[in-house]
Amino acid sequence: MKIVEKDLHISSKSRNQMIDITGQVDAAVSQSGIVDGDAIVYCPHTTAAITINENADPSVPHDILLTLSEIIPHHRPGYRHGEGNSDAHCKSSLVGCSEQILIKDGQLNLGTWQGVFFCEFDGPRSRTFFVQVRGE
Amino acid sequence: MKIVEKDLHISSKSRNQMIDITGQVDAAVSQSGIVDGDAIVYCPHTTAAITINENADPSVPHDILLTLSEIIPHHRPGYRHGEGNSDAHCKSSLVGCSEQILIKDGQLNLGTWQGVFFCEFDGPRSRTFFVQVRGE
Amino acid sequence: MKIVEKDLHISSKSRNQMIDITGQVDAAVSQSGIVDGDAIVYCPHTTAAITINENADPSVPHDILLTLSEIIPHHRPGYRHGEGNSDAHCKSSLVGCSEQILIKDGQLNLGTWQGVFFCEFDGPRSRTFFVQVRGE
């Protein structure tokens, strides 16, 4: 088995934002030379997340971010964390900090409408994510 | 390392439904001949998800679907996506489009009460999911 | 590829609790002798979960548990499951029963503020979780 890892970088522009990183993950897979296996996309931050959803219509990320902010308001009576970003920590644990995508014939085996998103919940910030490609 | 992948199919009967796919995943693991490793169950759709939860009492999937629909109503002021299924996209990102299960002695190493579910949030539809088994 | 698995144990003290298991996962990785690959942390229970979030300030786990209990109340009209722990099953599926962490130079490649938590939603109980370390 071959294991290839790459650290990638993005900059978010607002407090809540879903950034399409499909192209960056795809390039990491192509560069790895691995044709059969999987890729882990991992976010090392505790106020951000990784998700897979539709990247054709920008209304979909909008509606996901709207829903998350309705469920998890920025300020809630009872929050104890002093940095004012408890909502971002909660969103991170609900959405999850990693995704795994299968690789077939040297390419990400995503569904027709699927893209990979870095979810910023406490921006704007400079952020890092890891892509580990494993297989043969 | 050996990698074996299988595409599997189901049909959902209602808009929101959790379908027990444990048997199909289990069969894919048995057929792979892999005795030690893991299985990724991956949903290539953006209005569906994969989860692991209790499959003994059908009340549990009922209560999970009820809770998701209370948290994320079908219609919400502010949704922009024109297809009327923004709720399904949100549920997909919250539940997540894949799960990984360890394999021990050639079998899924699930907990006593755990089963694997395909979660339909925008049915009824014909759906596909992938099972990738990896190991030795 | 080398695959090493370990079953680990904890005891929760309250109904809802996030227990920092980073040290136990880290020790399993060190003992495996694997320097490059990944670790899966898997919870075989249907009323508990695994998440990655900040483990420096105990206010963060507090605020995550508070948020989950506000979103998913213990009792909700319409719940059918007779054991009175439907909320715990829902939390388990939303947070997710496993996490994967990359391994670099023989160590968990977590972000600066990240720790791994076992999330108890129906305690107090004795609980088990699995760590599978894979790589070279």
Side-chain angles (χ1 to χ4, degrees):
Chain A
M1 190 183 63
K2 200 174 155 188
I3 301 173
V4 179
E5 196 186 311
K6 194 156 189 179
D7 294 0
L8 294 163
H9 306 280
I10 48 153
S11 292
S12 59
K13 306 281 182 230
S14 50
R15 183 151 198 270
N16 288 281
Q17 187 181 0
M18 284 172 66
I19 299 169
D20 188 344
I21 56 171
T22 314
Q24 285 170 279
V25 178
D26 208 38
V29 170
S30 296
Q31 288 160 21
S32 74
I34 289 168
V35 295
D36 198 15
D38 77 305
I40 294 180
V41 183
Y42 185 92
C43 165
H45 307 286
T46 57
T47 53
I50 305 292
T51 198
I52 293 171
N53 217 301
E54 183 181 328
N55 65 351
D57 177 1
S59 297
V60 172
H62 170 273
D63 291 355
I64 292 171
L65 292 176
L66 174 73
T67 293
L68 285 170
S69 292
E70 298 259 344
I71 296 171
I72 305 165
H74 191 164
H75 303 289
R76 184 191 293 279
Y79 279 160
R80 289 190 191 159
H81 186 50
E83 295 180 22
N85 61 358
S86 292
D87 61 326
H89 287 287
C90 296
K91 290 175 180 177
S92 175
S93 273
L94 281 180
V95 175
C97 72
S98 69
E99 290 287 352
Q100 55 202 346
I101 306 130
L102 305 186
I103 296 168
K104 204 173 183 175
D105 304 327
Q107 294 197 300
L108 288 174
N109 196 15
L110 290 163
T112 312
W113 303 104
Q114 285 184 324
V116 189
F117 289 92
F118 184 98
C119 304
E120 172 65 78
F121 299 128
D122 194 31
R125 293 197 196 205
S126 294
R127 298 290 206 175
T128 298
F129 61 95
F130 311 145
V131 179
Q132 190 185 77
V133 190
R134 304 95 59 84
E136 276 153 15
Chain B
M1 191 182 62
K2 201 174 155 187
I3 301 173
V4 179
E5 197 185 311
K6 194 154 189 180
D7 294 1
L8 294 164
H9 306 281
I10 48 152
S11 292
S12 59
K13 307 282 180 229
S14 51
R15 182 150 199 271
N16 288 282
Q17 187 182 0
M18 284 173 65
I19 300 169
D20 189 344
I21 56 171
T22 313
Q24 286 170 279
V25 178
D26 209 37
V29 170
S30 296
Q31 287 159 21
S32 74
I34 289 169
V35 294
D36 198 15
D38 76 306
I40 294 180
V41 184
Y42 185 92
C43 165
H45 308 285
T46 57
T47 52
I50 305 292
T51 198
I52 293 171
N53 216 302
E54 183 180 326
N55 66 350
D57 177 1
S59 298
V60 172
H62 170 274
D63 291 355
I64 293 171
L65 293 175
L66 174 73
T67 293
L68 285 170
S69 293
E70 298 259 344
I71 296 172
I72 305 166
H74 192 165
H75 303 289
R76 185 193 291 279
Y79 278 159
R80 290 189 190 160
H81 186 51
E83 295 179 23
N85 61 357
S86 292
D87 61 326
H89 287 288
C90 296
K91 289 174 181 177
S92 174
S93 274
L94 280 180
V95 175
C97 71
S98 68
E99 288 288 352
Q100 55 203 343
I101 306 129
L102 305 186
I103 296 167
K104 203 173 182 175
D105 304 327
Q107 294 197 300
L108 289 174
N109 195 13
L110 290 163
T112 313
W113 304 104
Q114 286 184 322
V116 189
F117 291 92
F118 184 98
C119 303
E120 173 64 78
F121 298 128
D122 195 31
R125 294 196 194 206
S126 294
R127 299 290 205 174
T128 299
F129 61 95
F130 310 145
V131 179
Q132 190 185 77
V133 190
R134 304 96 58 86
E136 277 153 13
Chain C
M1 191 183 62
K2 201 175 155 187
I3 301 172
V4 180
E5 197 185 310
K6 194 156 189 176
D7 295 1
L8 294 164
H9 307 280
I10 48 153
S11 293
S12 60
K13 307 282 179 227
S14 51
R15 184 152 198 269
N16 288 280
Q17 187 181 1
M18 286 173 64
I19 299 168
D20 189 344
I21 56 172
T22 314
Q24 284 170 280
V25 178
D26 208 39
V29 170
S30 296
Q31 287 160 21
S32 74
I34 289 168
V35 293
D36 198 15
D38 77 304
I40 294 179
V41 183
Y42 185 92
C43 165
H45 308 286
T46 58
T47 52
I50 305 292
T51 198
I52 293 171
N53 216 301
E54 183 180 327
N55 66 350
D57 177 1
S59 297
V60 171
H62 170 274
D63 291 355
I64 292 171
L65 293 175
L66 173 74
T67 293
L68 285 169
S69 293
E70 298 259 344
I71 296 172
I72 305 164
H74 193 164
H75 303 289
R76 185 193 292 279
Y79 280 159
R80 288 189 192 161
H81 186 50
E83 295 180 24
N85 60 358
S86 292
D87 61 325
H89 288 288
C90 297
K91 290 174 181 178
S92 175
S93 274
L94 281 180
V95 174
C97 72
S98 69
E99 289 288 350
Q100 55 202 343
I101 306 129
L102 305 186
I103 296 168
K104 205 174 183 174
D105 304 328
Q107 294 197 298
L108 289 174
N109 195 15
L110 290 163
T112 313
W113 303 104
Q114 285 184 323
V116 189
F117 290 92
F118 184 98
C119 303
E120 172 65 78
F121 298 129
D122 195 30
R125 292 195 195 208
S126 294
R127 298 289 205 176
T128 299
F129 61 96
F130 310 145
V131 179
Q132 191 187 76
V133 190
R134 305 96 58 84
E136 277 151 14

